Amino acid sequence: MLSDGSISQAVYQAQTRLTSLSSHLRTSKSKIVVCRDLGPDVMPLLTKRDDIEVVTWTEDCVCDREWLLKNISGAVGIVIVFSELVNAELLDAAGPNLKVVSTMSVGYEHIHVSELAKRNVRLGYTPDVLTDAVADISVMLALMAGRNANETMGIVREGLWPKFIWAPFALCGPQLSTSGISPSRTVGFLGFGRISHATLARLIPFGVTDCIYSSNPNSAASPKKERDEALLKQYQPQLKSLRPVDRDTLARESDVLFILAPGGPSTRHLIDEDFLRKMKKHSVLVNAGRGTVVDSDALAKALREKWIWGAGIDVVEGEPNIWKDHPLVREPRCNILPHIGSASFETRLAMATLAVENCLAGIVGQNMPAELDVKAS
């Protein structure tokens, strides 16, 4: 759990990093709009400065669009979350003073990057700091999907446990860890970046013997032989192999498949009906990346017709508009979380702090701790 001491230390470190920016700010106050209250540990990094005018949406709900369009005028920076759409309308309302958009997220599908590039507006985001939290969730979802968590917890929630008749193989599912009668496990990754590496590290104690991966189509890098050899050496002798494969092999050989690829047109519905039909009947699919990578209707069909064993997903195409009648919600072996991969106190504090640091560095033309190159995107 997050202690008061660790919070104080994190805030102190952030304040120390930001102090050097003060001398660079203009003598007149620079206006920054913050689209969500970032809490008592982070907001003072902005509000306690006498050289910044902070305008904050203080309601505990999505920032009102009309309020934002009105208050963004003249701002040099804006700190947003993923619910705010940054498009030409918002940027025009901001005017020529806007220098930086800083989002408290890794993804930036809510931002029209090309519009930022046209106006020479910089973009800050928050990668890396949520790697461990998402890796934790990924393993949790794999366990939930394999051991029928949603289905079996439903028995308790609905008061059916007293009527349940025990049987030798009732409610069983595929075990994530290896055993004497099942000594090998192959984990697959669609997308093999930081979060996938962290997830693999967590899986080694479960006895995983083989790792296969397919890089996402957006990746400029081809399979990295030296990196793969180093990872394999790190986890030997437990891990017997680590290799890149095509998506057909990824589908056919994975016992557990982790979807950790970014969203966008090039990855939309990479996991479709054709892919799912090739997977093992006792395989598990985990999606903690982006909902658009998986065709929800195809996954629901795969679960309903038992092409695969189960699924654990933290992201769904069309979220948050996922209602009770959604095809995946109706499937007992689909374990769905409402996009909480980064939802630990430690991670959200780090994300909020980084978003503020990005904004403050950006408005004075300094290097941002985490900046996306809008010209290259």
Side-chain angles (χ1 to χ4, degrees):
M1 292 298 293
L2 193 62
S3 66
D4 291 341
S6 61
I7 291 176
S8 299
Q9 183 180 16
V11 173
Y12 173 77
Q13 291 172 345
Q15 289 173 330
T16 301
R17 290 192 295 268
L18 296 175
T19 297
S20 64
L21 296 174
S22 297
S23 61
H24 296 278
L25 290 171
R26 300 176 302 183
T27 54
S28 60
K29 286 189 175 183
S30 299
K31 178 179 175 181
I32 294 177
V33 175
V34 184
C35 294
R36 199 66 66 89
D37 188 335
L38 300 178
D41 301 304
V42 178
M43 288 303 295
L45 300 176
L46 294 168
T47 58
K48 287 190 174 182
R49 302 176 66 120
D50 57 11
D51 47 10
I52 293 174
E53 175 191 0
V54 183
V55 180
T56 306
W57 173 257
T58 58
E59 301 296 326
D60 190 20
C61 61
V62 174
C63 181
D64 180 75
R65 185 70 174 181
E66 292 303 316
W67 179 93
L68 182 56
L69 289 171
K70 177 182 177 181
N71 285 278
I72 192 70
S73 178
V76 295
I78 179 173
V79 180
I80 64 171
V81 296
F82 62 84
S83 56
E84 276 69 64
L85 175 64
V86 178
N87 58 4
E89 177 191 40
L90 184 65
L91 296 172
D92 287 343
N97 289 339
L98 189 66
K99 296 181 179 180
V100 59
V101 172
S102 180
T103 182
M104 185 181 155
S105 64
V106 175
Y108 46 89
E109 293 90 345
H110 54 302
I111 300 170
H112 292 190
V113 177
S114 61
E115 294 294 334
L116 297 186
K118 289 178 185 178
R119 296 165 173 80
N120 292 316
V121 176
R122 299 168 69 185
L123 176 59
Y125 68 137
T126 59
D128 300 333
V129 293
L130 49 67
T131 296
D132 289 326
V134 177
D136 289 349
I137 282 283
S138 296
V139 176
M140 184 180 85
L141 285 167
L143 290 165
M144 292 174 68
R147 299 298 294 274
N148 313 316
N150 182 51
E151 185 176 15
T152 54
M153 289 172 70
I155 292 174
V156 179
R157 285 193 302 265
E158 295 168 20
L160 301 176
W161 194 2
K163 301 177 182 179
F164 179 74
I165 300 175
W166 187 90
F169 294 98
L171 306 180
C172 289
Q175 188 167 298
L176 178 60
S177 56
T178 54
S179 66
I181 62 172
S182 183
S184 66
R185 286 291 180 279
T186 297
V187 294
F189 293 92
L190 180 61
F192 201 54
R194 294 180 301 269
I195 297 174
S196 294
H197 295 172
T199 303
L200 175 61
R202 286 157 171 75
L203 293 170
I204 295 300
F206 285 89
V208 166
T209 53
D210 300 277
C211 174
I212 57 178
Y213 72 88
S214 179
S215 297
N216 74 79
N218 288 335
S219 176
S222 57
K224 300 176 181 179
K225 184 177 180 180
E226 291 184 3
R227 178 205 63 187
D228 292 354
E229 289 177 347
L231 280 173
L232 180 58
K233 184 177 181 180
Q234 179 179 352
Y235 298 127
Q236 286 177 328
Q238 178 58 55
L239 192 64
K240 308 302 182 186
S241 70
L242 188 156
R243 69 190 196 279
V245 296
D246 57 35
R247 286 200 290 275
D248 184 81
T249 303
L250 189 69
R252 296 184 188 280
E253 295 189 9
S254 296
D255 293 308
V256 183
L257 174 62
F258 294 90
I259 311 300
L260 291 164
S266 65
T267 61
R268 185 175 186 271
H269 291 185
L270 284 181
I271 307 302
D272 56 11
E273 185 170 324
D274 180 63
F275 184 100
L276 291 163
R277 285 186 179 276
K278 296 172 184 175
M279 293 183 69
K280 299 177 181 180
K281 288 188 178 299
H282 281 78
S283 65
V284 163
L285 181 144
V286 172
N287 188 7
R290 284 293 178 266
T292 54
V293 180
V294 177
D295 182 338
S296 293
D297 290 330
L299 179 57
K301 185 177 181 180
L303 292 167
R304 186 169 57 252
E305 298 185 2
K306 296 181 171 48
W307 308 343
I308 65 174
W309 183 264
I313 57 178
D314 187 44
V315 290
V316 185
E317 185 173 20
E319 63 180 69
N321 299 313
I322 307 301
W323 309 104
K324 288 183 178 181
D325 61 349
H326 190 280
L328 290 176
V329 176
R330 294 200 303 261
E331 291 303 319
R333 288 191 184 172
C334 191
N335 301 264
I336 306 176
L337 301 177
H339 204 151
I340 62 167
S342 66
S344 70
F345 291 120
E346 294 85 351
T347 297
R348 292 289 172 84
L349 175 62
M351 291 173 69
T353 303
L354 181 54
V356 169
E357 289 181 325
N358 281 335
C359 186
L360 289 173
I363 65 176
V364 296
Q366 289 191 349
N367 290 333
M368 297 160 67
E371 180 176 5
L372 186 76
D373 185 353
V374 298
K375 301 290 187 182
S377 298

